[in-house]
Amino acid sequence: LFTGLLAWGLFLLGRKGIFFAAILFLLAVLVRPSAILLGPLLAGAVVLNPTAAQAYSLLPAVRRGGIAVLAVAIVIFIGLLPWASRNERLLGHRIWTTTNSGVTLYDGFNPAANGGSDQRFLAEMPVLRTINEVERSQYLRESAEIWIRNHPTEALGLVIKKIARTWSPMPLSAEYARPVYRWTGAIFAIPFDLLVIIGLFSSRLRRGAKTLLLIPAIYFTIVHGM
């Protein structure tokens, strides 16, 4: 669902349908809150890369890019306002997306972390049963940040492992550990990845298009490494 929303948003951006693209980027954020900055980034990138038939001019391009980024940001802001209002009403804090950011950070950086996801700590930490979801997120975030500061080398190693898992051509979760699942994933993903690399090095694809297609990959590599 998320990939479909993102792809159609990119398509509409290329057809100057900024408003409709912004709505799709908003829906993508509701599906995957970590993509909250991706829509504005793509909006700015697509208008700063003209088609082959367009003459590039810096100031008009920057102006169009600024308008596009602002339009997408405003639509996302308006769309997330009910969520933030709900959080403020029920939790006392205006949090614009999920209250699980601290859970996610601690999941990646804790004494038992190995680069994968294992949230059994939610049931194993008694203190979490005595606080609300906002306090839980803050507590886990602070715990993860303390661990990172005290173990910088181990934290860097986990970042590398998390990125490697992100780009693994085979599923690595325990639910899909059977060889048939892993080989099925590899048979699909390895040729697909090779075709992507060939396409990126192909001179038939414009540099602007390559940049636009690489932004989501770079964005989520950074997100998953954090």
Side-chain angles (χ1 to χ4, degrees):
L1 176 60
F2 174 81
T3 303
L5 291 169
L6 184 63
W8 279 106
L10 281 169
F11 175 80
L12 290 173
L13 276 179
R15 296 297 185 274
K16 299 183 179 180
I18 292 176
F19 176 73
F20 295 105
I23 293 176
L24 291 179
F25 290 146
L26 165 63
L27 295 175
V29 172
L30 294 176
V31 173
R32 191 168 187 171
S34 60
I36 190 169
L37 299 178
L38 185 56
L41 282 173
L42 291 171
V46 75
V47 294
L48 291 173
N49 290 284
T51 64
Q54 291 178 317
Y56 182 79
S57 180
L58 179 61
L59 289 179
V62 171
R63 189 181 302 115
R64 290 196 306 272
I67 292 173
V69 170
L70 185 62
V72 172
I74 288 174
V75 169
I76 292 176
F77 171 82
I78 294 173
L80 293 179
L81 192 58
W83 194 352
S85 299
R86 172 265 178 197
N87 288 338
E88 185 175 30
R89 184 177 68 256
L90 296 182
L91 305 173
H93 298 269
R94 177 163 287 198
I95 299 171
W96 286 90
T97 56
T98 177
T99 55
N100 275 337
S101 59
V103 176
T104 303
L105 184 63
Y106 188 83
D107 187 27
F109 299 97
N110 68 75
N114 60 9
S117 178
D118 183 359
Q119 297 188 0
R120 286 179 293 180
F121 59 83
L122 292 174
E124 296 170 353
M125 300 173 69
V127 66
L128 299 182
R129 293 193 289 270
T130 65
I131 54 181
N132 63 35
E133 58 186 275
V134 175
E135 294 168 337
R136 178 187 66 181
S137 181
Q138 293 173 343
Y139 175 82
L140 291 174
R141 174 174 291 279
E142 291 172 359
S143 298
E145 290 173 348
I146 291 172
W147 187 87
I148 292 170
R149 287 196 297 269
N150 292 335
H151 304 84
T153 303
E154 293 89 336
L156 179 59
L158 286 172
V159 169
I160 295 172
K161 288 181 179 179
K162 284 154 68 74
I163 292 174
R165 290 178 67 92
T166 298
W167 290 104
S168 170
M170 297 185 296
L172 300 177
S173 62
E175 294 84 355
Y176 294 95
R178 291 173 55 186
V180 64
Y181 294 141
R182 294 193 172 182
W183 279 109
T184 301
I187 289 171
F188 166 79
I190 292 176
F192 179 83
D193 292 346
L194 289 174
L195 289 173
V196 169
I197 294 171
I198 292 171
L200 288 173
F201 281 96
S202 171
S203 59
R204 297 172 59 184
L205 192 63
R206 292 184 296 107
R207 182 178 300 175
K210 295 178 183 178
T211 301
L212 192 64
L213 293 172
L214 281 171
I215 286 176
I218 296 172
Y219 181 90
F220 282 112
T221 298
I222 295 172
V223 168
H224 290 169
M226 296 174 61

